[in-house]
Amino acid sequence: SALKSSDGNLACDNASRIINGSAPSVISNGIIVALLICPICENPTLDECLNRTCEQDDDYYPTHERDLYPISTINANYLPDEVKRNFQNALKIRNIDPNCFAVAIRRTVESICNEKKAEGKYLINKIKYLSTNNYIPEKLFILMVKIRIFGNVGAHPQLGDIEEKYIPILLDICHILFDYLYRVPMILNN
């Protein structure tokens, strides 16, 4: 259900979007689509809402169902649950803070290493394990190391800040890893 935020605006379930006291933008064939503004990053989002309401203060508000844009989930049944969960968490914060996003992507890489049972105390050792045991080629080793470095920079303020321009690059690297380690083997095995 929807909740009023402290400033009087209506906040959706995930508390990352508000409806500035207005009704849904579009109603079509029983599907409600609302254009919302994120109070944190102030970017627009397009949400699909359920065709039911939460009545507060005699106003009409849709209840949040799912994000249509930006996409904050990945439809990848071939990914292990932990990898998918960590990547989806990264997607949810990509427009909020590039530093936090880089840390979340690093966590996704570490979950890949854990799923592959990579040995080592530190992430760099786990990535080396994947390379030396032929899970990944040299070029993917380099890309995984770069994600580790970006994640370290994002986690430690004294190392600087991650610029927004690197977000799509980090996403692309993850998709390459997902394809190489999970999607392509699944296709070849079927």
Side-chain angles (χ1 to χ4, degrees), residues 53-123:
T53 63
C54 174
E55 293 182 25
Q56 294 181 350
D57 302 328
D58 299 320
D59 288 327
Y60 168 84
Y61 299 108
T63 54
H64 178 78
E65 173 66 11
R66 68 185 174 113
D67 298 335
L68 298 174
Y69 178 83
I71 297 170
S72 62
T73 61
I74 181 172
N75 186 11
N77 295 331
Y78 56 86
L79 288 178
D81 290 341
E82 181 186 350
V83 174
K84 186 175 180 179
R85 182 178 49 80
N86 282 310
F87 187 67
Q88 286 177 326
N89 288 338
L91 290 177
K92 290 175 185 175
I93 61 171
R94 72 175 169 212
N95 293 324
I96 297 172
D97 185 331
N99 290 307
C100 293
F101 172 76
V103 172
I105 289 295
R106 183 191 187 282
R107 184 178 173 94
T108 301
V109 166
E110 188 145 12
S111 66
I112 290 170
C113 292
N114 292 342
E115 188 275 327
K116 295 294 182 188
K117 309 263 190 274
E119 297 174 2
K121 182 175 180 180
Y122 302 107
L123 181 55

Side-chain angles (χ1 to χ4, degrees), residues 4-65:
K4 287 276 184 179
S5 64
S6 60
D7 61 2
N9 292 315
L10 183 73
C12 290
D13 293 12
N14 60 9
S16 67
R17 288 160 180 71
I18 58 172
I19 302 171
N20 294 320
S22 63
S25 301
V26 177
I27 300 176
S28 174
N29 296 329
I31 298 174
I32 300 169
V33 178
L35 183 62
L36 311 175
I37 302 296
C38 175
I40 298 170
C41 69
E42 298 181 350
N43 287 321
T45 66
L46 185 63
D47 283 15
E48 178 181 336
C49 303
L50 295 176
N51 195 9
R52 64 175 191 239
T53 63
C54 174
E55 293 182 25
Q56 294 181 350
D57 302 328
D58 299 320
D59 288 327
Y60 168 84
Y61 299 108
T63 54
H64 178 78
E65 173 66 11

Side-chain angles (χ1 to χ4, degrees), residues 141-157:
F141 168 78
I142 292 167
L143 293 176
M144 289 179 86
V145 169
K146 289 189 184 294
I147 286 178
R148 182 189 70 84
I149 292 168
F150 272 93
N152 288 348
V153 171
H156 302 288

